[in-house]
Amino acid sequence: MSQAIRFRPQAELAAKVQVDVQQVRHPHYGRYLEEFVPGQVFVHPRGFTFFRAQMEAFARTYMQCNPLYLNEEYARASGFAGLVASPQMVFNVVLSLGVQNDSEKAMANLGYYDAQYLRPVHELDSIRSLTKVIDRKERGAGKPGIVTIRTLGINQNDQVVLQYERKIMVAGQGDRPSTTPLPAAAVMPAFPWVDEAEVFLPEFPEPLPSGLTGPNSWFEDFSVGDIIVHANGRTITDEHLSLTYAVGNTHPLHFDRVFSSGLSGKMSGDPIVYGGLVFAWLEGLASRDVSENSVWELGFTEGYHTQPSIAGDTVAALSRVLAVEDAPGELGAKFGIVSFQLIGVKNISASAALASHGEDLFIKENDKKAMNKEKIDEKIFEIERRLLIRKRG
């Protein structure tokens, strides 16, 4: 139903309204350390509807090889309601929706923890995001502190599709003006984090489709200790500026050269590639070797961006098998769970990185000081992930 409304004609007014520089406002977003209070819940604006063209573009841009994200017929034959949004796309969108509230003033993203994908996202699903402040650690006057947050992605049916925790490094406010306050509310919004979460997957048909995946990424192809050197690298160009917009990330460090060049230290200079995009490219580079026969990304934890990337850097990836086990219950007849350590490097091939650094490549960078080991300059990323993978039979 619509209504007809007549508005007055548009008139030019600028010359008639006096300029008053005392009425200037400078809206800015994110929060300083003191503005994070444990227990706060941020309801992030906008939300994001997943359109098919965007889903396909994301999968191809980040070199995803799993046909669940590329082939409608395959996805339906596998039991899903249609094409599945890449878990990396879901993660990037959910995180980016929260940047305006929780990390637009962050100095660094310190890590991802306990990420769990609980439901598939399909075409025309609309996802919104909420964040809860879990902890704030101050490290002394003039030093940035560390804030621990939990974030949820929730679909149009109020179901959690993704939940994860992360830590961010945030500077104190000092003599700077406060940021946008939370709306006044007597009660904080609900935050339906799911403890001991169940994953909601389709009833997989018998038999599952075959012939559209590679020959070497079935469950039986992985043994604990295997190191898989992924063949290709990916050179990042200034495309990362528009790709940051595409997932809705609003941190100026990733697309504003005036802002980034005004920083001090190693972050000063060209815009830094948003870490979620780096993660997506590394995971895509690994996909035909480890996840092409996966039916579900269970999640990831203990993930760190150990060095920044900028346009012109070439990234490459390696995976190490940490555990293999049958899927629970009756699912175990057709599927197994494989845990991987995913390592990212830059401006060196994955094979050259392994030859140069050997086992040190797989040691957490933050642990090396206590071990009297040097950090690896070429290493940019480390994370552990778990996949539900089809068995060959």
Side-chain angles (χ1 to χ4, degrees):
M1 187 174 181
S2 61
Q3 57 180 326
I5 303 172
R6 185 182 297 278
F7 292 92
R8 64 171 176 79
Q10 182 83 11
E12 190 172 329
L13 301 174
K16 301 176 183 178
V17 178
Q18 184 176 356
V19 175
D20 183 356
V21 295
Q22 300 305 311
Q23 289 187 246
V24 174
R25 292 187 291 169
H26 296 273
H28 57 122
Y29 302 94
R31 282 171 169 78
Y32 297 113
L33 182 64
E34 299 88 339
E35 296 175 311
F36 287 95
V37 179
Q40 284 177 322
V41 175
F42 306 136
V43 179
H44 304 309
R46 288 177 289 280
F48 190 103
T49 298
F50 281 69
F51 293 103
R52 183 187 182 93
Q54 294 170 306
M55 293 162 56
E56 292 176 327
F58 189 98
R60 297 186 190 284
T61 296
Y62 298 97
M63 309 171 76
Q64 294 283 347
C65 292
N66 191 321
L68 289 176
Y69 319 139
L70 299 164
N71 184 320
E72 171 88 12
E73 181 183 2
Y74 179 92
R76 290 190 180 278
S78 297
F80 290 92
L83 206 66
V84 181
S86 160
Q88 276 293 328
M89 183 179 183
V90 177
F91 171 68
N92 270 276
V93 166
V94 171
L95 188 154
S96 295
L97 285 170
V99 170
Q100 175 173 308
N101 276 324
D102 54 43
S103 60
E104 196 163 320
K105 284 185 165 46
M107 300 171 65
N109 180 66
L110 299 180
Y112 310 118
Y113 308 88
D114 195 24
Q116 300 173 71
Y117 294 95
L118 305 186
R119 288 175 173 83
V121 173
H122 296 290
E123 180 183 4
L124 298 183
D125 280 346
S126 293
I127 305 301
R128 66 187 193 279
S129 180
L130 295 84
T131 289
K132 184 174 185 176
V133 180
I134 302 302
D135 185 47
R136 181 184 75 201
K137 283 189 169 63
E138 301 186 23
R139 303 193 301 161
K143 294 183 179 180
I146 297 173
V147 178
T148 302
I149 56 177
R150 285 180 170 177
T151 296
L152 298 174
I154 299 177
N155 67 18
Q156 68 275 12
N157 300 315
D158 295 325
Q159 299 166 324
V160 177
V161 300
L162 168 66
Q163 60 183 32
Y164 64 89
E165 188 171 291
R166 70 178 178 130
K167 294 183 180 180
I168 53 177
M169 180 180 289
V170 187
Q173 182 175 343
D175 58 0
R176 292 171 288 200
S178 300
T179 57
T180 306
L182 277 177
V187 179
M188 280 289 170
F191 188 78
W193 180 273
V194 185
D195 291 315
E196 300 182 3
E198 295 178 314
V199 177
F200 293 86
L201 294 175
E203 293 187 5
F204 297 107
E206 183 68 51
L208 285 160
S210 61
L212 290 175
T213 58
N216 300 316
S217 59
W218 302 88
F219 172 75
E220 294 89 344
D221 294 317
F222 302 108
S223 299
V224 173
D226 288 349
I227 295 173
I228 304 163
V229 180
H230 307 301
N232 292 341
R234 174 60 153 82
T235 300
I236 302 170
T237 70
D238 280 342
E239 67 193 316
H240 79 90
L241 303 175
S242 59
L243 292 173
T244 300
Y245 290 146
V247 294
N249 192 309
T250 57
H251 199 308
L253 178 64
H254 305 311
F255 50 76
D256 181 344
R257 186 171 280 107
V258 172
F259 176 88
S260 62
S261 61
L263 300 175
S264 59
K266 66 180 181 179
M267 302 295 275
S268 179
D270 287 338
I272 301 299
V273 181
Y274 160 44
L277 307 187
V278 175
F279 184 6
W281 270 309
L282 295 171
E283 196 253 342
L285 289 168
S287 66
R288 62 180 172 175
D289 298 323
V290 302
S291 61
E292 200 169 18
N293 278 298
S294 169
V295 293
W296 196 247
E297 177 100 29
L298 289 165
F300 50 84
T301 195
E302 295 289 324
Y304 306 97
H305 297 281
T306 58
Q307 295 287 347
S309 297
I310 61 172
D313 283 344
T314 298
V315 300
L318 306 90
S319 294
R320 183 167 70 107
V321 180
L322 304 177
V324 295
E325 59 185 301
D326 289 335
E330 295 181 359
L331 209 60
K334 293 192 286 187
F335 303 97
I337 299 170
V338 183
S339 298
F340 295 95
Q341 182 183 24
L342 175 64
I343 301 295
V345 296
K346 68 177 181 179
N347 302 328
I348 187 174
S349 70
S351 58
L354 182 61
S356 178
H357 301 291
E359 64 184 34
D360 285 357
L361 201 59
F362 302 95
I363 299 173
K364 286 183 184 177
E365 296 300 285
N366 287 340
D367 293 344
K368 287 182 177 175
K369 184 177 180 180
M371 303 170 68
N372 292 317
K373 290 180 175 288
E374 294 292 325
K375 291 188 176 182
I376 298 173
D377 290 338
E378 300 101 333
K379 184 176 171 183
I380 59 172
F381 189 65
E382 56 192 17
I383 206 164
E384 294 187 14
R385 56 193 296 233
R386 289 198 308 159
L387 299 174
L388 182 64
I389 298 178
R390 301 198 299 174
K391 292 183 175 180
R392 186 173 274 108

